[in-house]
């Protein structure tokens, strides 16, 4: 694919493509994270053991992990629009087939397939944003796009849980199919491939062979996933068990904290545009995460009321790095490698995120929440010196 680096669409169309790309990623989040909200119904009404219900719920995530890099290759070779349309079509079909079945094996297989197709949006939607926005606007635009995950999880929490409770699992599983179909229609109507520079030896060269920038960003992101998922996973449990909150009140606070996290992603991206660097704000975020998690651990251990405030702050800060790292990877990898690089980026983060809940759970059981929160600061501290230097964004292009 050849072309020019000058966008061929107007400002309105560019922002509309950002909205649709965000919607596509949110639809993927509904497919991947939604089945987790079916676990109570699978256990109580369908008679599945909790481990089996958890396995069914994990099926889409397994599919995502198996195909992220593959979809990155597709994006690099066939373009963003092709990957999004193919992936969302497969997601819609597989989710619809899953909803037509009535056995755990059927659900597991087709949800895994749905997750495998849904993985297409991770690299493709990010590439649409990076490709259509100039360097001095990409941080803000990617911050908006990174709101897709909490938005999708919120949609899934409301729609799948309520539908399953009122109409059963099969009706609930139809929700991801409908959401994916809507995203598919919007993508078909709006998204076009961003322009790429003419393929040359320089543009097609393996960016991993040039230096360790991408490898270091990947490692930093993996390390910063640990405090993020410690907070995400155990915030509600800590509020209920240690602070004596009701489940409803704790859930409301966690939901509001997620909104703060979404705002934090946009703010971090806007800051990177303003200072002309992705890496300096990334380093600042890592440092503030260290301080906040240590303070949260100390306050939780002492039983101070300010611990609740620190929990909300930590929820916002621990996700602020995602858009910065994602944008930096796409920019440094270039138009013909960014799909694969973003696939590698997401794979590492998903693997780390999968390991955090059980490992942190053991630490909570043995040492308590305060020690667990404070221990997460170690991983953020390890990330600080690994953040590479960044070049001026005025010389950066997708």
């Amino acid at each position: 694919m050849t072309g020019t680096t000058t966008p061929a669409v107007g400002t309105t169309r560019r922002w509309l493509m950002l909205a649709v790309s965000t919607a596509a990623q949110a639809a993927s989040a509904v497919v991947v994270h939604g089945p987790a909200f079916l676990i109570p119904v699978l256990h109580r009404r369908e008679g599945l053991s909790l481990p089996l219900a958890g396995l069914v719920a994990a099926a889409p995530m397994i599919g995502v992990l198996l195909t992220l890099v593959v979809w990155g290759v597709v994006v690099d070779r066939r373009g963003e629009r092709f990957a999004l349309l193919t992936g969302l079509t497969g997601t819609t079909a597989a989710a619809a087939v899953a909803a037509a079945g009535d056995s755990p094996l059927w659900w597991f297989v087709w949800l895994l397939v749905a997750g495998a197709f849904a993985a297409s949006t991770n690299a493709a939607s990010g590439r649409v944003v990076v490709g259509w926005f100039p360097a001095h606007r990409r941080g803000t635009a990617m911050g908006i796009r990174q709101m897709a995950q909490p938005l999708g999880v919120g949609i899934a929490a409301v729609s799948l849980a309520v539908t399953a409770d009122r109409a059963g699992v099969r009706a609930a599983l139809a929700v991801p199919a409908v959401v994916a179909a809507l995203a598919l229609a919007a993508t078909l109507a709006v998204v076009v491939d961003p322009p790429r520079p003419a393929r040359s030896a320089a543009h097609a060269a393996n960016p991993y062979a040039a230096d360790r920038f991408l490898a270091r960003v990947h490692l930093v992101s993996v390390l910063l996933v640990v405090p993020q998922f410690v907070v995400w996973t155990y915030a509600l449990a800590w509020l209920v068990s240690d602070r004596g909150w009701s489940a409803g009140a704790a859930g409301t606070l966690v939901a509001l904290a997620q909104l703060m996290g979404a705002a934090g992603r946009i703010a971090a991206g806007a800051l990177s545009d303003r200072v002309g660097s992705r890496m300096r704000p990334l380093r600042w975020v890592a440092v503030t995460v260290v301080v906040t998690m240590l303070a949260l651990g100390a306050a939780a251990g002492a039983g101070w009321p300010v611990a609740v405030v620190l929990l909300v702050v930590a929820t916002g800060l621990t996700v602020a790095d995602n858009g910065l790292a994602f944008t930096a990877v796409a920019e440094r990898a270039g138009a013909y490698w960014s799909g694969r690089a973003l696939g590698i980026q997401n794979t590492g983060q998903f693997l780390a995120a999968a390991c955090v809940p059980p490992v942190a759970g053991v630490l909570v059981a043995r040492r308590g929440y305060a020690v667990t929160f404070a221990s997460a600061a170690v991983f953020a501290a390890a990330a600080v010196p690994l953040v590479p230097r960044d070049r001026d964004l005025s010389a950066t292009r997708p």
Side-chain angles (χ1 to χ4, degrees):
M1 186 181 302
T2 61
T4 174
T5 58
T6 302
V9 301
T11 301
T12 300
R13 180 69 176 273
R14 188 182 305 149
W15 284 95
L16 190 56
M17 283 194 282
L18 169 60
V20 171
S21 297
T22 303
Q25 186 62 45
S28 174
V30 172
V31 173
V32 174
H33 301 290
F37 298 103
L38 303 180
I39 290 177
V41 174
L42 289 170
H43 178 55
R44 292 196 313 265
R45 294 189 191 174
E46 301 295 331
L48 275 63
S49 66
L50 281 176
L52 183 55
L55 184 61
V56 170
M61 181 69 73
I62 297 172
V64 168
L65 286 171
L66 293 174
T67 56
L68 276 169
V69 177
V70 174
W71 281 111
V73 174
V74 172
V75 171
D76 289 337
R77 296 183 178 178
R78 297 296 304 273
E80 295 78 6
R81 179 180 168 88
F82 175 86
L84 284 171
L85 293 178
T86 303
L88 288 170
T89 298
T91 302
T92 302
V97 174
D102 58 2
S103 74
L105 179 60
W106 180 277
W107 293 328
F108 177 85
V109 170
W110 287 104
L111 286 175
L112 186 149
V113 175
F117 278 104
S120 62
T121 64
N122 286 68
S125 65
R127 266 291 310 161
V128 168
V129 175
V130 172
W132 278 118
F133 281 81
H136 66 283
R137 290 286 183 268
R138 280 183 208 137
T140 303
M142 189 62 75
I144 294 172
R145 183 262 186 191
Q146 291 295 91
M147 292 175 60
Q149 185 182 33
L151 177 62
V153 172
I155 292 172
V158 174
S159 59
L160 268 75
V162 173
T163 304
D165 186 62
R166 294 179 178 177
V169 172
R170 293 178 65 181
L173 287 175
V175 172
V178 172
V179 173
L182 292 173
L184 172 62
T187 300
L188 183 64
V190 173
V191 174
V192 294
D193 285 338
R196 300 191 190 188
R199 183 183 289 272
S200 65
H203 284 119
N206 183 351
Y208 289 94
D211 53 42
R212 294 185 297 173
F213 180 91
L214 290 174
R216 289 175 66 174
V217 173
H218 294 331
L219 182 55
V220 167
S221 296
V222 167
L223 290 168
L224 291 177
V225 158
V226 176
Q228 174 187 336
F229 272 81
V230 166
V231 172
W232 274 23
T233 305
Y234 291 103
L236 190 144
W238 172 69
L239 289 168
V240 172
S241 62
D242 273 22
R243 304 295 300 184
W245 287 39
S246 69
T252 300
L253 181 69
V254 170
L256 292 174
Q258 288 288 338
L259 293 177
M260 181 175 176
R265 295 183 183 200
I266 298 176
L271 177 62
S272 75
D273 289 339
R274 180 174 294 273
V275 302
S277 170
R278 313 297 177 209
M279 294 298 98
R280 274 186 286 155
L282 181 59
R283 189 176 296 107
W284 299 336
V285 167
V287 171
T288 55
V289 169
V290 173
V291 175
T292 304
M293 294 306 295
L294 288 174
L296 173 59
W304 296 336
V306 73
V308 176
V309 176
L310 289 169
L311 177 72
V312 174
V313 173
T315 301
L317 286 175
T318 56
V319 300
D321 65 288
N322 289 347
L324 297 171
F326 204 83
T327 308
V329 167
E331 288 176 334
R332 181 58 65 97
Y336 295 98
W337 271 86
S338 58
R340 279 164 284 187
L342 293 174
I344 294 170
Q345 170 83 2
N346 281 321
T347 299
Q349 289 181 301
F350 273 116
L351 287 172
C355 294
V356 169
V359 175
V362 172
L363 189 57
V364 168
R366 294 183 177 181
R367 301 300 300 274
Y369 290 101
V371 171
T372 303
F373 290 146
S375 298
V378 174
F379 294 87
V384 173
L386 293 174
V387 178
R389 300 291 176 183
D390 198 7
R391 62 188 177 189
D392 191 308
L393 294 187
S394 63
T396 302
R397 65 184 187 181

